[in-house]
Amino acid sequence: MITHIRHRAVLAVGRLVRWVLQLRGSHGFALPGLVMERLDPTFLPRVLGRLPLGVVVVSGTNGKTTTTKMLTHVLRSQGLRVFTNNSGSNFTRGIVAQTLPVLNRHGYLDADIAVVELDEAHATHFVRLVPPRYSVLLNVLRDQLDRFAEIDYTATLLRTIASSTTSTVILNRDDSRIAALADCVPPGVNVEYFGVLPQLGKSVASEERMYAPGFDSAIELDQAALNPVDVVVHTVQDRHVQFSCAGQLQAPVGLAFDGLYNAQNAAAALCAGRQILGPDAVDSSALTLALEEVKPAFGRGEVLTINGHQVELVLVKNPAGFRLALNITSTTATLTMIAINDNYADGRDMSWLWDVDFSALEAVEIVTGVRAADMALRLTYDDIRPAWCEPDLGQALRLLLQRQQQTGQSARIFCTYTAMLGLRQRLLRQPHVTLARHLPLAAGTRSSSRESKVAA
């Protein structure tokens, strides 16, 4: 009885904080969750612990948001009620805050399962509170070294998730640091893998392939192939992807996402969906078809139409992600802006920009953000001189949209996380704005991706 009264009291405080923030027009989304955590650290495990199918944790350096959205849609397509933290806030306080608008009158979730995306560091705190029934671990790449120091430490954080999982751990076979986590899985817990065909291996992002020319990824994949793989990416061409599930080749499906790395995310979602729903009972072709309906998460290749012209937002946050984004999107028919902030959510250390090869870009119209000057300097070393260096995001966006009206070209903005949030808010306030389907930016636009050539 006392626990129930405390639960309702904490919920009331959280809702009050959320209401005040909404009145003030504040975007401090996670603050209600932070307050509730301080008042009652057991609130989140109490709410999530009642779900019949438990909790799925999705973590890794790149692809968390996309994979979480894909898996959520796959499960919902099969009739499951799914709670997820689709706000993009992947700390525990954000998850608590995300529950507020969907809790029932008793203060609990009307859901079968929760699929939550978690920051690698904050996941260790979450799994101590709520041991996940399933975990999906994607990759380990260099990211925010001011927080994580080195990638092997990041792998150690993910190891904590794997060792805390109670039913099934889903691993990326083609990332050696992720595949190695199988040895820490508790006895009785199942391990399943997703991956790509060995001939696609050289297009898979890894630290070794980025910094060791001539690194033979095919050998690594052949060795990893000793592990049976549940879901495999067979082909990737023009956003059409073919998977096999438990050795059974599926019909090709069209995704609203570019690149082999997004096909890997889809494979992770398929593998997780099969395990949750039961690999022997579920119709894998139905799960695969459900992927066609998934739209990009905000800022992850999202396309907005402003006054009849398309603007694409591409989130970049580390050297591997930026390189892959440049490889699959660079075209001569597009105006390019790069927006770099160094706020806490972006990572304060921007030295990683020097590890990105920008030579695929024909030109850059504008650089903006807190670190606009640093970005402009970096580009000069690849013989690219931006037309404007404008630190103010609002002014830079006005310049871009004016230039777009003059030329009639589509625009693409590569942006770090907080820059993406700021630009997206400004774009949505523009007159005559619509969210477009994720389609090629212009008629006749072609991908210059070295990756897609290998995949094809």
Side-chain angles (χ1 to χ4, degrees), residues 367-378 389 391:
V367 291
T368 186
V370 178
R371 302 297 286 268
D374 300 75
M375 189 68 248
L377 175 64
R378 170 65 191 91
C389 179

Side-chain angles (χ1 to χ4, degrees), residues 190-260:
N190 187 33
V191 177
E192 296 291 342
Y193 296 91
F194 65 94
V196 306
L197 285 185
Q199 53 264 43
L200 302 181
K202 292 183 180 180
S203 296
V204 173
S206 77
E207 291 297 303
E208 289 76 12
R209 294 179 193 98
M210 285 183 63
Y211 303 112
F215 178 76
D216 192 347
S217 59
I219 293 176
E220 181 188 31
L221 290 177
D222 285 343
Q223 292 170 342
L226 295 174
N227 298 318
V229 182
D230 185 55
V231 178
V232 178
V233 179
H234 279 252
T235 60
V236 182
Q237 189 170 14
D238 298 329
R239 293 189 186 158
H240 285 83
V241 183
Q242 188 168 31
F243 303 94
S244 67
C245 298
Q248 298 296 313
L249 202 60
Q250 307 296 309
V253 293
L255 302 182
F257 303 84
D258 288 302
L260 179 61

